[in-house]
Amino acid sequence: MAVLAREPGSAAPDIDSEYGISAEQVARFRQDGYIKLKGVFSRETLDAYGREITRLVLEQSRDTRPLEERNTYGKAFLQVINLWRQSDIVREFVSGRRLARIVTELLQTEGVRLFHDQALYKESGGGYTPWHMDQFYWPLATDRVATAWVPLHAVPIAQGPLMFSVGSQRIRTGRDLEISDESERTMNERLKLSNLPVDETPFDLGEVSIHLGRTFHRAGPNTTQRPREVMTIIYMDRDMRLAAPRNKHQGDNWNTKVGDIIASPLNPILYERRAPA
Ligand SMILES: O=C(O)CCC(=O)C(=O)O
């Protein structure tokens, strides 16, 4: 596996230092179901790890069909899951304490585990990502699960930044919809009816968003000439238990019994406020 090459004496990219989260930000995350944070990573950090993430995406993304032959989901992005298991460089990034601590603060848990990582590259000309909520796919006992969406560069509106239905983690409708043309159509109508604001704003270089598994989100198409390169890290409560599957997407190869804490080696603890006694 590749190891991050550093000039002798040069500093390691900063992925561990503390990023202060205020009580006001915790309250806003709880209210809105997501938050956008500026200046989480430097250009140097994003470049250092981004090179390796992009290398793996190019090597492993299977969908080589032209965009016009794919369905809406296939047009939305190339996705490669669990890169941390394939590269020491990505493992180092995904294990960073800076982001894991931010999510621990926002979720108000004692610590977080890795659920999985996933690179999501929206190609030049790639289509929109339909409205959906992630927890439809996950058999988790509580809502203490959140995705950090980490663009590897600044993302203008034309490149399809992630957008959010503000406060939608509390609405009841649409929880049974997989990501599809139907979820896009249905949630467009339902979210309009619920009068919730939509936050569609660009991302600065180094800005990161974090959203709850129950918050509805979407992204526009990428109309630029450059791919939209994004790494995501999905964190869950350190003490998350496996729930019984509620649909066909939730049943696959868990190394944990229903009702137990999801403590397999595939789900390492990434941050704890203090080690358990
Ligand atoms: O990157 C995208 O277009 C969608 C991302 C998403 O749905 C997620 O990170 O949960």
Side-chain angles (χ1 to χ4, degrees):
M1 273 191 213
V3 176
L4 191 55
R6 293 190 186 106
E7 295 296 320
S10 72
D14 180 12
I15 50 171
D16 290 325
S17 67
E18 184 171 332
Y19 180 102
I21 292 288
S22 66
E24 190 273 329
Q25 286 171 314
V26 174
R28 186 141 45 87
F29 178 75
R30 184 186 293 246
Q31 179 70 21
D32 295 346
Y34 79 99
I35 194 164
K36 290 176 74 168
L37 301 171
K38 292 193 191 286
V40 176
F41 294 118
S42 68
R43 179 187 298 275
E44 292 69 36
T45 300
L46 294 171
D47 285 352
Y49 295 102
R51 264 192 301 277
E52 174 74 347
I53 293 166
T54 298
R55 186 186 71 75
L56 289 165
V57 170
L58 294 179
E59 184 184 287
Q60 293 181 32
S61 42
R62 306 254 174 264
D63 209 338
T64 51
R65 290 170 301 163
L67 279 162
E68 53 286 2
E69 287 175 20
R70 303 185 210 160
N71 64 14
T72 302
Y73 187 45
K75 282 183 185 134
F77 39 66
L78 300 172
Q79 54 183 319
V80 183
I81 195 165
N82 271 340
L83 298 177
W84 74 280
R85 295 182 62 201
Q86 303 164 44
S87 152
D88 286 344
I89 297 176
V90 183
R91 181 194 304 260
E92 188 173 275
F93 184 63
V94 167
S95 306
R97 290 169 62 78
R98 184 170 172 87
L99 203 43
R101 180 180 178 280
I102 290 174
V103 180
T104 300
E105 291 294 332
L106 293 171
L107 289 177
Q108 294 284 281
T109 57
E110 283 304 308
V112 288
R113 284 179 192 280
L114 177 64
F115 185 10
H116 59 268
D117 71 41
Q118 191 165 29
L120 295 171
Y121 279 40
K122 201 183 273 294
E123 296 149 279
S124 170
Y128 66 91
T129 308
W131 282 115
H132 68 284
M133 64 120 201
D134 304 328
Q135 210 153 343
F136 168 79
Y137 292 95
W138 302 334
L140 303 178
T142 76
D143 66 349
R144 298 295 85 190
V145 55
T147 299
W149 197 83
V150 184
L152 302 175
H153 49 77
V155 185
I157 295 295
Q159 220 175 10
L162 200 59
M163 58 197 263
F164 303 93
S165 171
V166 183
S168 58
Q169 77 280 12
R170 282 189 296 275
I171 65 171
R172 295 241 177 112
T173 53
R175 306 257 155 227
D176 51 348
L177 294 171
E178 59 188 274
I179 182 170
S180 59
D181 291 333
E182 194 201 337
S183 72
E184 172 74 359
R185 199 172 39 248
T186 308
M187 290 320 296
N188 251 333
E189 282 164 22
R190 292 187 189 175
L191 293 171
K192 255 185 221 130
L193 286 177
S194 66
N195 275 330
L196 295 172
V198 170
D199 177 355
E200 184 182 22
T201 42
F203 281 65
D204 289 345
L205 180 83
E207 187 169 6
V208 165
S209 66
I210 293 133
H211 65 269
L212 283 171
R214 290 184 188 277
T215 302
F216 283 93
H217 52 283
R218 176 189 190 278
N222 180 3
T223 59
T224 73
Q225 300 301 310
R226 287 171 294 115
R228 189 214 64 185
E229 301 171 349
V230 172
M231 180 64 168
T232 64
I233 306 174
I234 298 97
Y235 300 88
M236 60 186 168
D237 181 0
R238 182 196 68 184
D239 302 326
M240 183 65 81
R241 291 176 189 276
L242 189 68
R246 287 176 286 258
N247 62 45
K248 67 174 189 293
H249 301 285
Q250 296 189 356
D252 285 336
N253 56 45
W254 286 92
N255 297 320
T256 303
K257 286 207 308 260
V258 169
D260 284 358
I261 292 181
I262 305 172
S264 96
L266 299 183
N267 306 104
I269 294 173
L270 297 182
Y271 183 83
E272 286 180 291
R273 288 177 195 274
R274 56 186 170 276

